[in-house]
Amino acid sequence: MAEYKIQYELQQEAKKRNHKEWRILDALKKFPRVMGLQHDYPWVKTPIIISAPMRLISLAPVAVAVSGGGGLGFIGAGTEVQDLEAHLQEASRLIKESPIVGSKATTLPIGVGFINWGADLDVAVRAIEKYRPAAVWFFAPHKNADLTQWTEAMRNATRGDTKIWVQVGSVHDAVEVANSCHPDVIVAQGSDAGGHGLERGAGIVSLLPEIADALTREGIQGISIVAAGGIVDGRGVAACLALGGEGVVMGTRFLASTEANIAKGYQMAILHANDGGVSTVRSKVYDTLRGTTGWPERIGGRGVINQSFLEARDGKVTEANMKAYAEALKKGDAGWVEDGRLTTYAGTGVGLINQVRPAAAIIDEIRRQVIDIELRIASRQSKI
């Protein structure tokens, strides 16, 4: 059914544009298998766009808006799960006010993301059992073996209705969690991703296909792979679909959405940043300044380079730097202006973002960009 849905959408778009060569079936070859994800999340449209569970920023409004736009939105519970029930209650209210067509009656059509090194499992399970979101996303345990308990507890809480997603940044981690947890979805996070990820890792172009090949060699089947890291527009989405991703995750792009719970200064810093491969850096400086120092040693946070980073000596934060950061916090949005100090987590694709838009509009624009690309590919192939 999913393949026919894609075919229909492409045909209709081609008709609108009086496309002379409809080589749609050729274009369809660029799309990966999406049956698994569309079975579990029947309201989603192809290509499947997922909003990352960004801590403190991705709350109910953005998660519901993304799902309402035909994607899959995640609430970022992070490590502080005491407020999770309140966030899920708000999401439930928003969905009742504006029902998401095609969603299942048995689950809430959003997901919840946890930062496992700090989240309380018992509190998390109670919230998931009560509200039954469609998916839970695990990331950054102290060791991968910790996720076995989380997986079993979540599956038992909703009798398997809530699907398990695990974020990894290496082939080794992907194989290990696939064998120990057998998640429903692996999120392959490339090194271009903003926020937290492995300090050493590959970009998504090599990471995703190598993970897929490794799972095949291990004889592991039935796990979907979605791509994350540096993806902000239809070009990135199309590339990741060609790599074999069944969907794509975007975090930085949704920082510039109207529904994001984000300071105006932070959002403006996203719009003003460019040349993200040079202007962002992955380090532990910003975690130290913010006091979030429980992260596993191999994980760092990618953010826009600012005075706080430049004044850190060999990555070490000085007392003077800490005091300056505290003073910048008092300035509010002004703490992000020129020569600003406040943390601006963002991926290397940040330079491609130049406008704040509603989440649903972002998804619609990206989906149309992907269709444009596939139609161009089909047209070129028709001339061969």
Side-chain angles (χ1 to χ4, degrees):
M1 183 64 70
E3 283 82 358
Y4 292 121
K5 183 176 180 182
I6 301 170
Q7 181 180 6
Y8 176 78
E9 289 179 356
L10 286 169
Q11 285 176 336
Q12 294 306 304
E13 193 68 19
K15 288 179 181 179
K16 288 178 183 177
R17 303 174 191 204
N18 295 317
H19 202 277
K20 294 181 180 179
E21 299 291 343
W22 282 12
R23 298 291 297 277
I24 301 302
L25 292 178
D26 286 341
L28 290 176
K29 293 176 183 177
K30 305 299 185 300
F31 283 91
R33 181 183 63 83
V34 295
M35 292 296 289
L37 291 180
Q38 288 204 311
H39 176 269
D40 293 333
Y41 319 106
W43 70 88
V44 300
K45 300 176 182 178
T46 53
I48 299 171
I49 296 172
I50 303 125
S51 62
M54 297 175 287
R55 174 179 170 264
L56 304 176
I57 292 173
S58 298
L59 302 182
V62 68
V64 172
V66 168
S67 290
L72 175 55
F74 276 81
I75 289 175
T79 55
E80 298 85 9
V81 296
Q82 291 75 14
D83 296 330
L84 179 55
E85 285 202 30
H87 295 314
L88 286 168
Q89 183 179 36
E90 182 182 3
S92 182
R93 177 185 62 79
L94 291 171
I95 291 167
K96 286 180 181 178
E97 292 175 357
S98 300
I100 295 174
V101 177
S103 59
K104 295 181 178 180
T106 54
T107 55
L108 201 62
I110 59 168
V112 176
F114 297 98
I115 297 173
N116 295 88
W117 63 259
D120 186 303
L121 175 58
D122 293 335
V123 174
V125 167
R126 286 197 295 270
I128 299 305
E129 184 174 21
K130 181 176 180 180
Y131 287 95
R132 304 175 72 84
V136 289
W137 173 322
F138 301 151
F139 171 54
H142 284 298
K143 55 184 184 300
N144 288 333
D146 296 342
L147 297 183
T148 302
Q149 184 181 10
W150 276 81
T151 300
E152 292 176 353
M154 293 298 179
R155 282 181 170 151
N156 289 337
T158 66
R159 298 183 179 181
D161 285 343
T162 298
K163 303 306 178 183
I164 307 298
W165 293 43
V166 178
Q167 176 182 325
V168 300
S170 72
V171 178
H172 175 270
D173 286 349
V175 171
E176 188 169 36
V177 300
N179 279 312
S180 62
C181 302
H182 201 85
D184 300 283
V185 177
I186 283 178
V187 180
Q189 186 200 49
S191 58
D192 288 323
H196 289 84
L198 294 184
E199 290 197 323
R200 295 177 58 195
I204 195 63
V205 171
S206 61
L207 179 64
L208 193 154
E210 190 173 355
I211 286 176
D213 288 352
L215 296 184
T216 298
R217 285 196 301 271
E218 291 282 323
I220 300 170
Q221 299 179 344
I223 299 177
S224 297
I225 305 175
V226 299
I231 309 160
V232 297
D233 64 12
R235 292 168 292 186
V237 171
C240 289
L241 295 177
L243 291 170
E246 296 183 38
V248 296
V249 176
M250 293 187 290
T252 303
R253 183 62 190 92
F254 287 108
L255 292 175
S257 66
T258 55
E259 297 89 351
N261 182 46
I262 184 172
K264 191 69 173 178
Y266 187 168
Q267 203 167 58
M268 290 302 100
I270 293 296
L271 298 184
H272 293 154
N274 54 53
D275 203 1
V278 176
S279 63
T280 67
V281 65
R282 190 174 300 282
S283 81
K284 298 184 184 300
V285 168
Y286 299 120
D287 282 325
T288 302
L289 290 167
R290 299 170 77 229
T292 52
T293 56
W295 288 94
E297 183 61 29
R298 64 186 186 140
I299 290 178
R302 180 180 291 280
V304 176
I305 295 171
N306 60 16
Q307 282 300 113
S308 292
F309 178 81
L310 294 174
E311 292 179 10
R313 297 176 180 174
D314 298 322
K316 304 296 183 183
V317 176
T318 64
E319 184 177 349
N321 202 343
M322 291 286 288
K323 289 181 178 178
Y325 194 87
E327 288 300 315
L329 283 171
K330 297 176 183 178
K331 297 179 181 179
D333 290 334
W336 279 278
V337 298
E338 188 176 354
D339 296 328
R341 292 182 171 275
L342 298 185
T343 303
T344 307
Y345 284 132
T348 62
V350 66
L352 296 170
I353 302 170
N354 52 36
Q355 188 178 14
V356 176
R357 302 190 68 192
I362 292 171
I363 292 173
D364 185 65
E365 178 185 35
I366 290 172
R367 186 169 290 121
R368 290 301 161 195
Q369 290 171 349
V370 174
I371 291 175
D372 283 345
I373 291 167
E374 297 303 330
L375 287 171
R376 286 202 302 273
I377 292 172
S379 177
R380 291 169 185 168
Q381 289 180 338
S382 71
K383 298 174 183 178
I384 297 176

